[in-house]
Amino acid sequence: MKNKNFDIIIIGGGATGSGIALDAASRGLKTLLLEKNDFSEGTSSRSTKLVHGGVRYLEKAVKQLNKDQFNLVKEGLKERSRLLKNAPHLCSKLTLITPIYKWWELPYMFVGLSLYDFVSGTKGLGRSGIISKSKMLKKFPVIKKDGLVGGVKYYDGSFNDSRLTISLLQTARKHGADCRNYNEVIAFKYDDNQKVIGVEVLDKINNEKKLYEGTSIINAAGVFADKVNELDEQKAKKMLDLSSGIHIILDKKYLPSKEGLMIPKTEDGRVLFILPWMGKCLVGTTDDPTTLSAHPEVKENDVEYILRHLEIYFDLKIDKSEILAQWCGIRPLVAPDENADTSSIVREHEIRENKSGLISIIGGKWTTYRKMAEQLVDFVYKSQNMKKEKCRTKKLKLIGSKKLDVNYVSNKVDINTNEYLISQYGDKIDEVLSSVEKIEYLKEGEPYTNAEVIYTINEEFVKKPMDYLVRRCNVALIDKKVSIEILEKVLQIMKIELSWSEEQTIKEKEEALSLLNNSI
């Protein structure tokens, strides 16, 4: 592609950037999205997998009479409803239960969660309720029995973050957007008035430099937004405070129910979730100030923190060797004017414009990605004095959901693989399975096939083994051992499909193993 002129060039292929690409393209804007690594490789694939308004934000809103916190919850609940309708193959209703060990906490929690229902209004997913001790023990056999009074249940949403990013990008591409991973913006191009009019890009796969021109350039680089901003203004004021959070994956025996647990207050006043996800038990998260890293490492003290709290609420002692996978993500929080604990920052977003015309969008959270994108594109129309086209994403069904039949059964694969493919690819299951003449499993007893690998290469921007293992099939996020066991077969398929040399294949294997054995 030569120097094409775009209406909008977006830097960053995570939740925010992908949402902007879809919003802009669906309104008819000529759109280019550039991501320096793989799509959703950073924060956007390392969330707690919840689509929510934020129960803890509501508690703070009430206690502190904080209108900003309250509005954030209300907006999140509205967007939660839209997301569950627009991508039902990737998003679903989830029952969350809080175990109660003191009698006085039962009415307190029930009233608080009933307020959450009230704020949800017509967008609510169900009414909160009190659960007896006997039912709690039946649902969660390993929960600590001593002192258990009962529980309080409420409803929120669960989703697959990295898969949602791909669905957004596929839908954006269908509307004409050009979406490119492994394309790093290394400099900006300016006109005679020092207004930014383009980007110089390094294609990291082909090791080529390219120049793209655009009317509006958007910095939606998430945790790397400050780095992108510094390409435009060397002494730019810091926009973000960074906070890290880890998650661990355990066997489903620790959470045999399809319902999750919310621990409302840890030893340092945080919220801990124990959730069913992809047939496993996901536990997280922590919240600590951190520094920027492309592959943040999981710290031992954070793992010990989570295991310590599990021992408080479970009657089983969990050994570190039982952890199937673990990962760390970095939250891009809008920096406050004064130094503050990152756990107390309101996770609202902001849109800022430099003197050069570079537009940055920072902060926010997954649940409100669509609203953030809508506001950003509205801002672009206003800044360019263009006649605004109406936003079309409120009711726009994403790729994979348009003809979704959750009861569909393919005769090409076993029932477990069928269920897995529908949960990941929705109504594209037949397209996935039609990618090969003969379906071969990558490992006996696991749902991953050669057809899925080839489909993700052809249709889902896969360029490297970790793109598939982490962010398309998610195996590396739920079982590191299995991901290492199937790596060789994935490499051999990619070698043929992407015409790799033996030398390139060895290099890709070394890179993948390094990440799998350290930090994905």
Side-chain angles (χ1 to χ4, degrees), residues 29-60:
L29 295 176
K30 193 173 181 183
T31 304
L32 173 65
L33 182 143
L34 301 165
E35 163 58 48
K36 71 172 183 175
N37 296 312
D38 185 30
F39 297 123
S40 79
E41 184 166 328
T43 304
S44 296
S45 61
R46 299 158 191 263
S47 75
T48 310
K49 322 301 180 188
L50 288 174
V51 187
H52 63 115
V55 170
R56 71 187 180 110
Y57 302 131
L58 182 61
E59 185 179 20
K60 286 180 181 178

Side-chain angles (χ1 to χ4, degrees), residues 236-256:
K237 185 181 177 183
K238 185 183 79 163
M239 299 188 293
L240 299 172
D241 268 353
L242 303 181
S243 166
S244 69
I246 77 153
H247 295 83
I248 66 170
I249 300 290
L250 300 169
D251 189 271
K252 67 178 180 181
K253 72 181 181 183
Y254 290 108
L255 199 68

Side-chain angles (χ1 to χ4, degrees), residues 37 41 46 224 293-298 328 330 471 515 519-520:
N37 296 312
E41 184 166 328
R46 299 158 191 263
F224 292 95
S293 172
H295 297 285
E297 294 187 4
V298 174
C328 179
I330 300 177
R471 293 168 290 277
L515 289 169
S519 55
I520 56 175

Side-chain angles (χ1 to χ4, degrees), residues 195-263:
K195 294 294 182 181
V196 63
I197 57 168
V199 291
E200 187 180 340
V201 176
L202 174 64
D203 180 338
K204 294 163 74 172
I205 298 296
N206 300 306
N207 197 29
E208 295 175 355
K209 288 185 180 179
K210 299 176 182 179
L211 182 68
Y212 302 118
E213 294 187 350
T215 308
S216 291
I217 314 296
I218 311 301
N219 173 11
V223 297
F224 292 95
D226 277 324
K227 289 290 184 184
V228 171
N229 199 38
E230 286 167 11
L231 292 176
D232 180 50
E233 296 181 354
Q234 277 191 326
K235 296 181 180 179
K237 185 181 177 183
K238 185 183 79 163
M239 299 188 293
L240 299 172
D241 268 353
L242 303 181
S243 166
S244 69
I246 77 153
H247 295 83
I248 66 170
I249 300 290
L250 300 169
D251 189 271
K252 67 178 180 181
K253 72 181 181 183
Y254 290 108
L255 199 68
S257 168
K258 288 187 178 180
E259 298 164 323
L261 288 168
M262 183 193 79
I263 309 304

